[in-house]
Amino acid sequence: KQNRKARPSCFVFWEYNLFMKETIAIVAGLPAIVGNVPYLWDVIKKRVQPHPYTWFVWSIVSAVIFFGQVAKGAGVGAIPTACAEIFTVIIFLFSLKYGFKNIKRMDTFFLIFALLGIIPWIMTNDPTISVIIVVTIDLIAFIPTLRKTWLHPKTETPLLYSMNVLRHVLTLFSLQAYNIATMLHSIAMIITNSFMTGIIVRGRFRR
């Protein structure tokens, strides 16, 4: 029998690294379930009131982010984004019936401003530029929810947003390629969701 040649150590390391990233990607999908399922149940029970404008834009943005990550080589790191997108669409649909109704003119202004940002996104074929544009749109769409939560902290729950922070941290570790297109969205979401969690907790302590 011929002796099998040992595989190069670099190949073994690459294989192990890929396995770890796949594992982290799967684990990163769990916070999306842990955060979104109770949140969706609270929406149905009218314990929280998601802002439909924000969740509508997020539904569009998450889809763009997912395809942008895939195009720029995120690999398994795009799995948590896909998982979150499913819940985002579902929560948006429920927000039309159970969501926040006291919508101000300023909220409509930010919605229009966010949707106008889709125009330059359509005009570019560069995934990196597309992701930069939609992350900006995402942040603008977050403003109505931030305003609503600052005034009415009981309309939100900290579990969802804290789980979002954890999910995006794990997503960064699961990426197979690191560049603006794959990383920017997670970094922005870690910052904004941490801020959102702080607003909710602050509001509840004040009450």
Side-chain angles (χ1 to χ4, degrees), residues 16-106:
Y16 173 77
N17 189 49
L18 179 61
F19 170 75
M20 288 299 297
K21 287 184 178 293
E22 289 175 348
T23 303
I24 294 174
I26 295 172
V27 173
L30 296 179
I33 299 173
V34 173
N36 282 281
V37 171
Y39 187 85
L40 182 58
W41 181 250
D42 285 340
V43 171
I44 296 173
K45 290 296 182 179
K46 298 182 179 180
R47 288 194 286 261
V48 299
Q49 297 176 306
H51 200 299
Y53 285 5
T54 296
W55 287 90
F56 171 61
V57 177
W58 281 352
S59 299
I60 300 173
V61 167
S62 294
V64 176
I65 294 294
F66 170 72
F67 289 113
Q69 288 179 335
V70 171
K72 295 298 286 186
V76 294
I79 293 176
T81 304
C83 184
E85 165 66 359
I86 295 172
F87 283 107
T88 302
V89 173
I90 294 173
I91 291 173
F92 161 65
L93 294 175
F94 275 94
S95 73
L96 296 176
K97 182 177 181 180
Y98 301 105
F100 188 70
K101 305 299 183 184
N102 189 21
I103 296 175
K104 302 296 183 181
R105 183 179 300 177
M106 182 183 297

